[in-house]
Amino acid sequence: MKTSIVIATYNKLEYTQLCIESIREFTSQHNYEVIVVDNHSTDDTAAWLSIQSDIKAIFNEENLGFPKACNQGIEISTGDNILLLNNDTIVTENWLTNLLTCLYSSEEVGAVGSVTNSCSYGQSIQVPYQSVEEMHQFAAQFNQSSNPELWEERLKLVGYCMLMKRQVLDEVGLLDERFTPGNFEDDDLSLRIELAGYKLYLCKDTFIHHFGSVSFRKDAEAYNKLLRTNQDKFLEKWGFDPERAIIYNGLVKQIEAAPNDSIRILEVGSGCGGTLLYIKNQFPYAEVYGVETNAFAAKVAAKVTSHIYLSLDEVWDLHKEGFFDVIITGNFGGLNEKNVKNIKILQKLLHDNGQLIVMTPNLLHYRNIQKMLAGSIAPSELQSWKLSDIEETFKAAELMELEITGLVQEVFPQDQEFLQRLAEMAGLQTTKPYEIQNYLVKARKSNKDQSVKALINNLLLQNDVKSNVNKLAKIDAEAILSVIEDAGHEQKVELLNYIAVQFIEHQKPDLALPFLSKAFELDASHDPTLFNLGLVMYTQGHDQLALDWLSLISNRDDKLEHWMKQIKAELNAKSYDKYKLKFLLRRLENDVEGEASLAELLRMLVNGVVTIEQISQVVENDMVEKSQLLTQLAVSCYEHDLYDMVFPFFEKALEFDADNQDALYLLAHILYDVEEFDSAKIFLNRVRDKNTSVTELMQKLSEVSAV
């Protein structure tokens, strides 16, 4: 059996030589031929190819593009298999052996591909090597033997290394040359193979090295323009965007089920079925269903599963309530009346305790805000979701255990200043809310009573306590109290205290209060309830309230009496410290023994006697020159190397007076000293009086920027 290896070249001789040399070294055990079609290279490629006796070469008098060149090579090939290989690859030990093993494992298999270090569509893996020599050592281990468990069925294969049976290619036809000079011809060919009834496999037991688009990406702008043009050609030919082959593997990884579970999974917005196919690979015993409104894409998805519907209403009509264990959607769309209704439908379609996993676009993503300011935002983009929208809508649909994760993408350097300004205007210390492009939302449909009962029982049995406490914390306290009331538990007061203690021990004392209040209502003389109420108050800093509750306990032992005395002492100390703090701040504000007052304030800060928040509260309530006083404290902290306190004080100062010119200049100067130059510019630009000091600092910042 013979394999024809077809390579298209355009310059980059050094890559072509590496590729050919690797084929010669690692493919000798097979009957193969190498066909190189050169698209009028202007370097020494043609001259080098001309003297290679083991290569069939075609020399075009102009650059005819990748699809045409590949077709030329295929037309003169004599092999039983055709392998399209990029010239910017290096093949490795056992590469062709493993690929052929998969290709001929079944008559259904039409084409196979390898994994690599640089590729789209999930065909790349993380690699440890730093040189070609290390790469071959890695690949020799990776490609050690063919392993059917590592073959993954795919909707498409990226054409950098694509091995096909000739009979399949004869049936579906050559590469479509409308995609000249290149891009999406491999999507198109994969789709034709799929629709002809054959399967495509990614061989995760086979690795080759790929440098990555060395011919196309020299001019990024032209490359992106070509992508858009060929994307339009694909849409015109097939009736759907090639992006509909996307795999939402990140969503699938959120499914909380074992690989051998027999579950029903629905994907809304299935596209061509890429994610459904991925689900089948991960959960081989699952029944997969899909909703895809584009009829052309749905036809392709029907090759993955026969359960494809053109609307969610159609699913609802056929399956009714509680049919699915998991529902996912990678692009839920905007916040509108239709989608609010759809969330309620999805909730009804879920089985009790069923899982919903969706991705929603973030309205406050900084690119949306840029478009708003430019007046170019589309109406559909204005329907994106805020965090509060998600919480409100999903809870209204009675979806519980809500988990929301912000998904961010890399921010371009030119956008960093805009992000900083956004955060500054919003009074935030972080730009993350504006970097989030999408929200990943996970929720469950629960039989509230059964879910609460199960969580409480798990706590009583001490099963995975932390996880169950966290889950219980997400459920409304009234719902939990209702379950306890309806259950007719004989020891309600004890149970309420037990739940409260779990919240206290897991740093959620505020959640303990409703249960302790109910326990007190049921039995006002129950000493453990009174003790726990005192404990909650104490942990939240309400010492006097803690003392009041503890004083109601009828049976107080020596340990409790000692604790109560300690609380009284702390109350006296806090009263003194608060008086002393106010006294020192007044002296500092009026410059009465200012240095001594400042030194004592800093000592109290360092020793934890007072906090920045406590100082800010006293300043707000009792001082006149609020912003100036806090600015003075910020500078003093900087001068005494208390760096963690500098910026919080500046932040508080600017909260009281955002136009405090002294604060703005001094903050800019300190930011310059710590080499936060971009932030320093932002604050310095807000200083109106361009005196000598300001001008000098501006000059220093401009010199830093110029370097």
Side-chain angles (χ1 to χ4, degrees):
M1 184 170 57
K2 184 177 182 180
T3 299
S4 298
I5 303 173
V6 178
I7 303 171
T9 60
Y10 177 67
N11 294 326
K12 301 295 181 182
L13 173 59
E14 64 275 21
Y15 288 101
T16 303
Q17 289 173 325
L18 285 171
C19 179
I20 298 297
E21 287 166 7
S22 69
I23 292 172
R24 288 168 176 161
E25 182 177 356
F26 296 109
T27 325
S28 58
Q29 71 272 39
H30 294 284
N31 184 11
Y32 73 94
E33 63 179 354
V34 177
I35 302 168
V36 178
V37 183
D38 184 65
N39 268 325
H40 197 57
S41 293
T42 56
D43 60 5
D44 294 329
T45 297
W48 184 81
L49 288 171
S50 298
I51 60 174
Q52 306 304 310
S53 59
D54 60 342
I55 294 176
K56 291 182 181 180
I58 297 174
F59 300 99
N60 290 325
E61 295 183 358
E62 59 180 310
N63 189 344
L64 299 178
F66 182 80
K68 176 65 176 178
C70 289
N71 288 344
Q72 287 176 286
I74 294 168
E75 286 167 350
I76 68 166
S77 66
T78 59
D80 306 287
N81 315 303
I82 306 297
L83 196 154
L84 302 181
L85 186 68
N86 279 19
N87 71 320
D88 60 343
T89 57
I90 300 177
V91 301
T92 54
E93 189 174 323
N94 287 336
W95 74 292
L96 189 54
T97 300
N98 289 356
L99 291 176
L100 286 170
T101 300
C102 181
L103 186 66
Y104 283 92
S105 62
S106 168
E107 291 184 2
E108 289 183 319
V109 183
V112 299
S114 71
V115 294
T116 186
N117 58 295
S118 175
C119 187
S120 60
Y121 206 61
Q123 286 190 219
S124 62
I125 61 171
Q126 293 291 322
V127 294
Y129 56 79
Q130 299 294 323
S131 65
V132 172
E133 182 182 357
E134 289 179 4
M135 182 276 292
H136 280 302
Q137 293 171 356
F138 167 78
Q141 184 67 30
F142 193 94
N143 299 356
Q144 199 165 22
S145 61
S146 182
N147 183 357
E149 292 185 2
L150 297 177
W151 301 342
E152 185 175 293
E153 188 180 352
R154 287 296 185 97
L155 275 185
K156 74 171 185 179
L157 296 170
V158 181
Y160 77 95
C161 176
M162 187 173 180
L163 177 64
M164 299 161 281
K165 295 171 181 172
R166 175 179 286 279
Q167 67 181 56
V168 172
L169 199 56
D170 288 342
E171 183 178 340
V172 304
L174 300 177
L175 277 67
D176 191 336
E177 294 175 14
R178 81 177 71 192
F179 297 108
T180 299
N183 278 310
F184 298 113
E185 71 283 339
D186 46 2
D187 297 64
D188 173 80
L189 181 58
S190 295
L191 184 53
R192 285 186 277 135
I193 293 172
E194 182 85 16
L195 290 174
Y198 297 99
K199 293 183 177 181
L200 299 93
Y201 279 92
L202 178 64
C203 298
K204 293 188 170 181
D205 56 7
T206 310
F207 176 89
I208 72 170
H209 179 78
H210 184 213
F211 289 100
S213 301
V214 297
S215 296
F216 274 123
R217 297 195 181 179
K218 287 175 67 177
D219 185 340
E221 185 177 346
Y223 181 75
N224 289 329
K225 183 178 179 181
L226 173 62
L227 281 178
R228 292 191 294 270
T229 299
N230 280 5
Q231 197 167 357
D232 290 341
K233 290 178 180 178
F234 189 98
L235 176 60
E236 182 182 5
K237 178 176 180 178
W238 291 104
F240 56 85
D241 191 290
E243 288 297 314
R244 287 189 183 264
I246 191 171
I247 300 172
Y248 289 109
N249 55 344
L251 295 187
V252 178
K253 289 174 182 176
Q254 303 300 320
I255 295 175
E256 296 174 8
N260 59 351
D261 282 351
S262 298
I263 53 178
R264 295 193 186 107
I265 302 175
L266 171 69
E267 183 193 15
V268 181
S270 301
C272 297
T275 304
L276 292 175
L277 194 51
Y278 186 79
I279 291 170
K280 289 177 72 173
N281 290 324
Q282 304 302 311
F283 300 95
Y285 297 97
E287 292 180 36
V288 296
Y289 297 72
V291 176
E292 176 50 50
T293 57
N294 183 296
F296 301 103
K299 181 181 176 182
V300 182
K303 294 289 182 179
V304 178
T305 175
S306 59
H307 305 298
I308 289 291
Y309 308 98
L310 294 175
S311 72
L312 187 58
D313 288 337
E314 188 179 352
V315 179
W316 175 243
D317 290 340
L318 288 172
H319 296 299
K320 301 301 180 185
E321 291 197 32
F323 187 77
F324 296 102
D325 300 285
V326 180
I327 300 176
I328 67 173
T329 177
N331 183 5
F332 192 74
L335 173 60
N336 52 51
E337 187 177 342
K338 179 182 177 183
N339 279 336
V340 169
K341 174 191 170 188
N342 285 342
I343 289 175
K344 294 178 180 177
I345 294 175
L346 295 178
Q347 190 267 1
K348 291 178 181 177
L349 285 169
L350 278 172
H351 188 272
D352 282 352
N353 207 36
Q355 190 181 14
L356 177 64
I357 306 166
V358 304
M359 202 148 64
T360 64
N362 176 25
L363 176 64
L364 297 181
H365 185 240
Y366 74 93
R367 291 201 176 279
N368 286 340
I369 297 174
Q370 286 175 330
K371 291 177 185 177
M372 290 178 199
L373 295 173
S376 61
I377 193 165
S380 60
E381 292 173 309
L382 284 171
Q383 292 184 342
S384 295
W385 299 69
K386 301 191 301 295
L387 188 60
S388 57
D389 296 328
I390 296 171
E391 293 173 340
E392 181 181 339
T393 306
F394 279 67
K395 287 180 180 178
E398 297 186 0
L399 287 157
M400 304 175 69
E401 298 181 34
L402 200 60
E403 294 182 29
I404 306 172
T405 306
L407 305 178
V408 301
Q409 287 192 336
E410 182 181 1
V411 177
F412 295 116
Q414 61 267 29
D415 293 325
Q416 289 288 357
E417 185 176 351
F418 179 75
L419 275 166
Q420 290 292 341
R421 288 181 177 274
L422 275 180
E424 178 190 333
M425 287 188 291
L428 300 177
Q429 292 294 308
T430 176
T431 60
K432 287 299 179 188
Y434 306 111
E435 294 178 42
I436 294 170
Q437 187 169 36
N438 294 290
Y439 287 109
L440 171 63
V441 186
K442 295 195 295 181
R444 284 192 178 276
K445 174 187 178 178
S446 299
N447 179 316
K448 291 182 183 178
D449 289 358
Q450 292 301 321
S451 177
V452 170
K453 286 178 183 176
L455 291 172
I456 292 174
N457 285 334
N458 283 332
L459 286 181
L460 292 170
L461 295 170
Q462 293 291 294
N463 292 335
D464 196 7
V465 174
K466 183 177 180 180
S467 175
N468 285 293
V469 168
N470 288 335
K471 289 178 180 179
L472 206 61
K474 295 174 184 177
I475 300 174
D476 185 71
E478 288 300 321
I480 302 172
L481 290 169
S482 176
V483 169
I484 294 172
E485 182 66 30
D486 293 342
H489 201 286
E490 292 181 0
Q491 296 178 311
K492 287 181 185 177
V493 173
E494 288 78 5
L495 179 58
L496 290 164
N497 271 277
Y498 181 80
I499 294 172
V501 168
Q502 299 306 313
F503 283 131
I504 295 168
E505 290 182 350
H506 288 84
Q507 286 76 54
K508 304 178 191 292
D510 54 315
L511 299 181
L513 272 176
F515 303 97
L516 294 174
S517 298
K518 183 65 177 177
F520 181 74
E521 180 185 320
L522 293 173
D523 185 354
S525 62
H526 188 248
D527 282 350
T529 301
L530 299 171
F531 178 86
N532 288 329
L533 280 165
L535 181 59
V536 167
M537 293 299 111
Y538 182 75
T539 57
Q540 293 185 293
H542 305 306
D543 291 0
Q544 185 58 59
L545 286 173
L547 199 59
D548 292 343
W549 283 113
L550 296 175
S551 300
L552 297 176
I553 296 175
S554 55
N555 297 309
R556 299 199 291 267
D557 57 17
D558 292 342
K559 189 175 180 180
L560 180 57
E561 291 286 0
H562 177 73
W563 184 31
M564 291 174 68
K565 287 180 181 178
Q566 182 182 332
I567 295 174
K568 289 178 182 177
E570 289 175 4
L571 275 169
N572 292 332
K574 284 180 180 179
S575 177
Y576 170 75
D577 288 339
K578 185 176 180 181
Y579 171 80
K580 183 178 180 181
L581 176 60
K582 188 185 298 185
F583 172 76
L584 290 171
L585 286 169
R586 280 217 174 104
R587 288 169 68 88
L588 186 61
E589 183 181 34
N590 294 290
D591 197 22
V592 178
E593 297 185 5
E595 289 187 12
S597 299
L598 185 59
E600 181 62 13
L601 277 169
L602 294 181
R603 186 196 66 76
M604 293 172 72
L605 268 171
V606 170
N607 293 333
V609 176
V610 296
T611 65
I612 294 172
E613 289 71 22
Q614 288 171 329
I615 291 175
S616 300
Q617 189 65 52
V618 173
V619 169
E620 181 177 4
N621 294 336
D622 301 291
M623 304 296 128
V624 177
E625 298 295 335
K626 298 177 174 54
S627 185
Q628 288 297 116
L629 186 55
L630 291 166
T631 299
Q632 186 178 354
L633 285 168
V635 173
S636 297
C637 286
Y638 182 70
E639 291 171 345
H640 288 82
D641 299 333
L642 304 177
Y643 300 122
D644 290 344
M645 302 178 186
V646 175
F647 297 111
F649 273 127
F650 270 124
E651 181 186 0
K652 293 291 185 182
L654 291 172
E655 279 182 19
F656 288 120
D657 182 3
D659 196 42
N660 184 333
Q661 298 292 291
D662 289 338
L664 292 169
Y665 169 73
L666 290 166
L667 176 55
H669 205 295
I670 289 173
L671 287 166
Y672 171 80
D673 288 345
V674 297
E675 298 184 351
E676 291 288 341
F677 304 124
D678 290 338
S679 297
K681 285 181 190 176
I682 292 172
F683 289 102
L684 193 60
N685 287 336
R686 291 170 56 187
V687 179
R688 292 189 299 275
D689 182 11
K690 308 300 183 187
N691 58 33
T692 303
S693 299
V694 174
T695 305
E696 287 177 357
L697 184 55
M698 283 182 167
Q699 180 62 32
K700 289 179 181 178
L701 286 168
S702 64
E703 289 171 359
V704 171
S705 300
V707 174

